[in-house]
Amino acid sequence: MTSTHAFWLAGRQATGEDSFDVTNPWDGRLVGTVAVPTDAQVEEAVAAAHAVREEFAATPAHVRAAALDHVVRRLTERTEEIAQLISAENGKPVKWARGEVGRAVSVFRFAAEEARRFNGGDAQRLDTDAGGTGRLGLTRRFPRGPVLGIAPFNFPLNLSAHKVAPAIAVGTPIILKPAPATPLSSLILGELLAETDLPAGSWSVLTVPNDRMPALVQDERLPVISFTGSGPVGYAIMESVPRKHCTLELGGNGAAVVLGDWSSEEDLNWAATRIATFSNYQGGQSCISVQRVIADASVYDRLVPKIVAAVEALVTGDPSDAATDVGPLVSEDAARRVESWVDEAVTAGATLLTGGKRDGATYAPTVLTDLPGTTTIAGEEVFGPVLYVERTEGEAEAFAAVNASKYGLQAGVFTHDLQTAFRAHRALEVGGVIIGDVPSYRADQMPYGGAKQSGVGREGVRYAMDDYTYERVLVLTGLAL
């Protein structure tokens, strides 16, 4: 895994004049050297995507579906290899990396299924008024144009899949830009796409440094931008191109609400285990990881020790070890930032129940209580293995605490009451409400996205396909309806 990796330019491998190294955040070893495209090569990829857009849109559904099916088979065959690669470049424990490959398989499978049934069209009688006599409207969806997909480091394969697979399913070209820290699994995806019969130019994987992104973002030949990453970067992109169609999947500070009816020992043990696991499962580097636990006063004193015990039972260490639950963060700088935020919170008066220590890029799973609302952790996305627990009185106060955040991605509500579940669905200002579990649950076919500063638009294969296309109506005249 230390050879130089070419990028993918309009469906073929290419190398540029420069390169950069990808290192393992756990031990600093070299994982691979990656070629960087020149400005001329980037221009070639964009021009190819623009040139092939009509041909690709007209490609028969069975061709696109067959390509997606091929990726499903090849990802499945290479699961262990790709999981090891994700773990090496990302620092993700290998058991979670295997799960990521499995999810990417599902994304491409869902896309293949959707490609076969997408765009059958909706017919509408227009003779509901006299002027529409003999007229029928047929509405179908057509691609907006080539997509610039910008993927993050935390799920380098699956979040790339969520951009690429829907684009292929609707027949729109895509240029994928992986995160510089974790480009290797996206390049593997390029290998699998190159084995298909998709038109040349319909896809590229360009390992472009972040400082060269503005030119791609501004290019009018890429009218759709799908970005997953930080809020400041995402909103800066959208503000810089107000006439483009942008999907932004941004940050969160996911809340898990434990209400008073979730009170048996079995209930609280389940909640504590789920909270501990999904506050730390990617080193906390998931925008729907548990950051806030909002516990009813009637269960708070019993729940907190269980959460601490469950957190302390997690195995932290070498991500290549199948027993490891929590690996390093993506870099030592990221761990230092988390460390500084926790130190700030403790200095301000928060109580540290466990964790709070850094070793290189690894930060120990941490639990806080009594967190002052003025601290950074209280208002921002920590994106690290840190959670805090707060006490509330009753459902209304708990839901108000969830909504007090500027973010609104997903929330989990532990309750047995169906009426409470529907009230939560109505009241919580988030993109998804998970009942009986943590906010970290995501099925890759469901609509996924947030409210407020958590972004705009939705992923989830069918929903991304809608985002990449627009409705166009055909009116037929003189019909005997």
Side-chain angles (χ1 to χ4, degrees), residues 140-182:
R140 297 165 61 201
R141 301 191 70 89
F142 294 86
R144 296 177 185 273
V147 177
L148 173 60
I150 306 172
F153 70 81
N154 55 332
F155 290 87
L157 178 68
N158 194 42
L159 293 185
S160 293
H162 269 286
K163 301 187 185 307
V164 172
I168 294 172
V170 302
T172 193
I174 182 166
I175 292 176
L176 177 67
K177 190 268 184 197
T182 56

Side-chain angles (χ1 to χ4, degrees), residues 58-79:
T59 301
H62 72 86
V63 173
R64 289 178 272 116
L68 293 161
D69 282 333
H70 175 82
V71 176
V72 169
R73 289 190 296 272
R74 297 290 284 133
L75 281 174
T76 302
E77 292 168 358
R78 298 177 65 176
T79 290

Side-chain angles (χ1 to χ4, degrees), residues 256-259 262 265 267-273 275 293-310 389-390 414:
V257 178
V258 184
L259 294 174
W262 198 271
E265 286 298 299
D267 284 345
L268 295 179
N269 287 336
W270 163 259
T273 299
I275 287 166
V293 180
I294 299 168
D296 190 84
S298 63
V299 299
Y300 180 94
D301 289 335
R302 295 164 58 210
L303 177 64
V304 171
K306 292 178 182 292
I307 291 174
V308 172
V389 191
E390 58 183 291
F414 289 88

Side-chain angles (χ1 to χ4, degrees), residues 118-477:
F118 183 69
N119 220 355
D122 296 318
Q124 180 182 23
R125 291 181 67 135
L126 302 179
D127 61 353
T128 48
D129 287 317
T133 300
R135 296 179 188 267
L136 181 76
L138 179 64
T139 302
R140 297 165 61 201
R141 301 191 70 89
F142 294 86
R144 296 177 185 273
V147 177
L148 173 60
I150 306 172
F153 70 81
N154 55 332
F155 290 87
L157 178 68
N158 194 42
L159 293 185
S160 293
H162 269 286
K163 301 187 185 307
V164 172
I168 294 172
V170 302
T172 193
I174 182 166
I175 292 176
L176 177 67
K177 190 268 184 197
T182 56
L184 299 177
S185 44
S186 292
L187 295 175
I188 289 278
L189 185 56
E191 288 184 30
L192 308 187
L193 292 172
E195 297 169 355
T196 71
D197 295 325
L198 294 174
S202 62
W203 61 274
S204 294
V205 182
L206 300 183
T207 47
V208 178
N210 290 341
D211 61 7
R212 290 172 55 197
M213 279 306 298
L216 268 174
V217 167
Q218 293 288 334
D219 198 303
E220 293 183 357
R221 294 167 296 178
L222 302 172
V224 179
I225 297 176
S226 177
F227 171 85
T228 303
S230 74
V233 175
Y235 284 118
I237 287 173
M238 188 167 68
E239 290 165 5
S240 73
V241 287
R243 292 178 178 82
K244 290 195 176 192
H245 183 85
C246 295
T247 298
L248 305 180
E249 298 296 341
L250 308 177
N253 53 7
V257 178
V258 184
L259 294 174
D261 69 311
W262 198 271
S263 58
S264 71
E265 286 298 299
E266 181 181 2
D267 284 345
L268 295 179
N269 287 336
W270 163 259
T273 299
R274 298 293 285 178
I275 287 166
T277 298
F278 289 97
S279 177
N280 299 284
Y281 73 123
Q282 313 281 342
Q285 298 169 122
S286 169
C287 47
I288 47 175
S289 67
V290 181
Q291 181 170 327
R292 300 181 289 157
V293 180
I294 299 168
D296 190 84
S298 63
V299 299
Y300 180 94
D301 289 335
R302 295 164 58 210
L303 177 64
V304 171
K306 292 178 182 292
I307 291 174
V308 172
V311 168
E312 291 179 341
L314 297 172
V315 177
T316 302
D318 184 347
S320 66
D321 187 336
T324 296
D325 299 305
V326 186
L329 277 71
V330 72
S331 68
E332 190 165 344
D333 284 346
R336 288 195 189 99
R337 179 190 54 75
V338 173
E339 179 182 41
S340 70
W341 287 15
V342 173
D343 290 348
E344 175 207 31
V346 173
T347 299
T351 301
L352 178 67
L353 299 183
T354 191
K357 297 179 181 179
R358 180 180 66 83
D359 181 8
T362 300
Y363 195 80
T366 297
V367 180
L368 301 166
T369 58
D370 309 312
L371 185 72
T374 55
T375 59
T376 306
I377 288 176
E380 300 296 335
E381 179 182 33
V382 66
F383 222 59
V386 178
L387 67 87
Y388 64 90
V389 191
E390 58 183 291
R391 184 195 309 258
T392 55
E393 295 278 356
E395 174 190 310
E397 186 175 322
F399 290 176
V402 175
N403 289 341
S405 171
K406 66 182 179 182
Y407 297 108
L409 193 46
Q410 294 198 159
V413 181
F414 289 88
T415 181
H416 295 290
D417 187 80
L418 185 60
Q419 294 291 346
T420 300
F422 275 88
R423 286 194 297 271
H425 196 201
R426 182 176 63 248
L428 297 180
E429 299 166 351
V430 295
V433 178
I434 315 300
I435 301 298
D437 206 348
V438 291
S440 317
Y441 175 79
R442 177 182 181 184
D444 290 287
Q445 73 271 36
M446 77 185 199
Y448 176 79
K452 300 191 282 190
Q453 292 189 32
S454 287
V456 294
R458 291 294 181 268
E459 289 192 340
V461 176
R462 176 56 195 261
Y463 303 92
M465 291 167 68
D466 285 346
D467 231 23
Y468 289 172
T469 57
Y470 69 98
E471 292 175 319
R472 185 187 299 164
V473 64
L474 173 72
V475 176
L476 301 174
T477 304

